[in-house]
Amino acid sequence: MSLPPNQQLVAPGKWPVVGERAPREDSAPWTVTVSGLVNSERTFRLSELFRLGGGEPYEQTVDIHCVTRWSKLNVQFGGILLQSVLNECGIQPQARFVRMVARSERDHSTSLPLQDALDLNTLIAFSCEGKPLETIHGGPVRTVVSGRYFYKSLKWLERIELLAEDKPGYWESETGYHNRADPWLEQRYAVPNLDRRDVRALLSTRNFSGRDLRSIQAAHLDLAGLQALDAALRDADFRRAILRNAVFDGANLSNAHFQQADLRFASFRPTDRQQADLEGADFRGADLRGAVFEQVSLFGATFAARSQDADFGSALIDQTTRFDETSLATLEATPIQEEYIRRQSASR
Ligand SMILES: Nc1nc2c(c(=O)[nH]1)N[C@H]1C(S)=C(S)[C@@H](COP(=O)(O)O)O[C@H]1N2
Ligand SMILES: [Mo]
């Protein structure tokens, strides 16, 4: 079994839902349109699309790696290769990128270099483990790209465009997720350009509230009492930082690095605007005594050291650390983490 760096397995049978939960409501029959740099633009009804494969679905076993650090291995999808659909339409020589657009409220999209998409055997999937794909996981039709973080696999496929220039997708442009997304190289985030002087000034005020400070480097710093309400702090590096009494209410801390940080009496609660988000955050070796977690999402977060990495211990949690049931429920897919927290917070 092989897992890319800093991923953890979900419990057998679990498959977390990430991002949008349903397609756009639309009474028109489902079609998939191929447009852009193709010889003939085509709109396929689903039955036509399925038949392109020659009647038999193309079966592919895929390892799912979510950027928020959970993985699910050996999932069998059935469908038709993107290559087969594009062959049907004729690829023009100037085509360099393929963009997939969803039938969803926000016209969710993602893109890949065309050559990568073909080399990775991108699948247009309509079944999973021999059953029709569930709506919540992208049914009736989604793409599945093996060898990339799962945000490159689009749910509810409605449009495929071949382009000469890239048009980065929803997560890639809104959230700063890496456009290449290779899990083996941990390409989770593109590095944003924060002005170094601004950052230094902010660090000295210890007030991050409302700021966009994705991927900020704050390892080893003394930030006791930090105010970070509603701050955007995805991928922030707080390793070994002193964050005693820090207020992270409403902050987005997905994939933040808190290894060995001092988080005594820190708070992760909702604000009027939003709940705090700790998906994929890493708390190994952090001191969480007196810390409060209320209505936060903890999908993929790590508290208990995983067996494959001995470099950090587990988080220090005791009966003074408070997790509400809503927060603990989000760890359902990784019961090892949930059990660790329950055991430690019950201990004396
Ligand atoms: N249409 C659409 N596709 C999407 C997303 C989304 O929000 N909308 N989220 C992406 C992300 S981040 C992941 S991890 C996977 C999640 O798929 P799942 O919900 O079936 O696990 O879908 C990807 N495709
Ligand atoms: Mo994801």
Side-chain angles (χ1 to χ4, degrees):
M1 181 194 81
S2 58
L3 266 183
N6 296 306
Q7 292 293 115
Q8 61 182 322
L9 282 180
V10 294
K14 298 283 182 193
W15 183 357
V17 175
V18 183
E20 295 176 297
R21 304 183 67 87
R24 185 179 64 239
E25 279 190 47
D26 191 334
S27 53
W30 202 289
T31 56
V32 176
T33 298
V34 184
S35 65
L37 297 169
V38 284
N39 295 331
S40 59
E41 300 205 345
R42 297 276 300 272
T43 294
F44 299 98
R45 278 179 275 118
L46 283 188
S47 54
E48 293 174 306
L49 200 61
F50 301 162
R51 276 202 301 271
L52 284 186
E56 280 293 297
Y58 181 96
E59 300 281 353
Q60 192 181 331
T61 302
V62 173
D63 292 342
I64 296 175
H65 305 299
C66 178
V67 69
T68 57
R69 300 183 196 275
W70 59 265
S71 293
K72 181 175 174 63
L73 305 185
N74 295 319
V75 185
Q76 206 192 23
F77 289 96
I80 175 170
L81 288 174
L82 173 68
Q83 175 92 66
S84 310
V85 177
L86 293 181
N87 287 349
E88 195 68 22
C89 305
I91 303 174
Q92 291 189 7
Q94 321 88 283
R96 289 286 174 276
F97 295 91
V98 55
R99 175 168 186 257
M100 269 80 64
V101 186
R103 184 193 270 212
S104 83
E105 221 42 79
R106 62 183 183 210
D107 289 329
H108 191 93
S109 68
T110 189
S111 69
L112 289 162
L114 179 59
Q115 198 56 55
D116 287 2
L118 299 177
D119 291 347
L120 295 166
N121 284 329
T122 296
L123 188 68
I124 296 174
F126 43 85
S127 68
C128 182
E129 308 295 353
K131 292 194 280 285
L133 198 55
E134 287 174 68
T135 306
I136 203 163
H137 289 302
V141 62
R142 76 176 296 162
T143 60
V144 175
V145 186
S146 123
R148 293 291 179 266
Y149 285 123
F150 208 35
Y151 59 87
K152 289 291 182 183
S153 295
L154 184 100
K155 303 194 271 193
W156 315 298
L157 177 67
E158 182 171 56
R159 224 159 67 230
I160 301 169
E161 297 170 1
L162 292 194
L163 306 169
E165 304 281 338
D166 197 8
K167 206 163 172 186
Y170 177 86
W171 292 114
E172 295 87 335
S173 43
E174 297 289 313
T175 313
Y177 283 173
H178 201 291
N179 201 21
R180 185 139 186 288
D182 183 338
W184 299 97
L185 302 175
E186 273 210 273
Q187 292 169 328
R188 295 179 203 270
Y189 290 91
V191 179
N193 36 16
L194 294 171
D195 183 306
R196 288 250 266 322
R197 295 220 322 278
D198 290 354
V199 169
R200 230 176 304 137
L202 264 172
L203 286 168
S204 67
T205 65
R206 298 190 190 183
N207 188 348
F208 291 2
S209 294
R211 306 300 287 252
D212 183 351
L213 296 166
R214 279 174 275 163
S215 304
I216 190 173
Q217 300 295 308
H220 300 269
L221 297 179
D222 181 354
L223 294 168
L226 177 74
Q227 297 291 301
L229 285 95
D230 297 326
L233 291 165
R234 288 176 185 267
D235 192 41
D237 185 357
F238 288 117
R239 280 174 292 182
R240 289 180 188 275
I242 299 173
L243 293 162
R244 226 173 297 139
N245 298 304
V247 181
F248 287 110
D249 298 351
N252 188 328
L253 288 154
S254 71
N255 285 324
H257 308 269
F258 284 115
Q259 292 96 312
Q260 295 178 311
D262 177 356
L263 283 160
R264 280 177 284 170
F265 301 97
S267 93
F268 303 89
R269 291 189 172 103
T271 58
D272 306 342
R273 295 191 55 222
Q274 61 204 5
Q275 301 182 342
D277 182 343
L278 284 166
E279 295 187 0
D282 193 338
F283 288 99
R284 282 173 297 165
D287 188 344
L288 293 174
R289 287 173 296 174
V292 183
F293 295 80
E294 229 176 78
Q295 293 177 50
V296 297
S297 177
L298 297 171
F299 268 120
T302 306
F303 296 88
R306 300 172 295 235
S307 51
Q308 77 257 32
D309 45 26
D311 47 340
F312 294 105
S314 298
L316 180 48
I317 291 170
D318 68 7
Q319 76 280 4
T320 65
T321 315
R322 282 168 19 228
F323 286 89
D324 69 351
E325 285 300 320
T326 313
S327 307
L328 285 176
T330 61
L331 282 171
E332 168 202 53
T334 48
I336 295 163
Q337 302 298 331
E338 184 181 348
E339 277 157 33
Y340 175 77
I341 293 173
R342 287 192 191 279
R343 190 157 16 89
Q344 296 304 306
S345 34
S347 67
R348 297 235 124 223

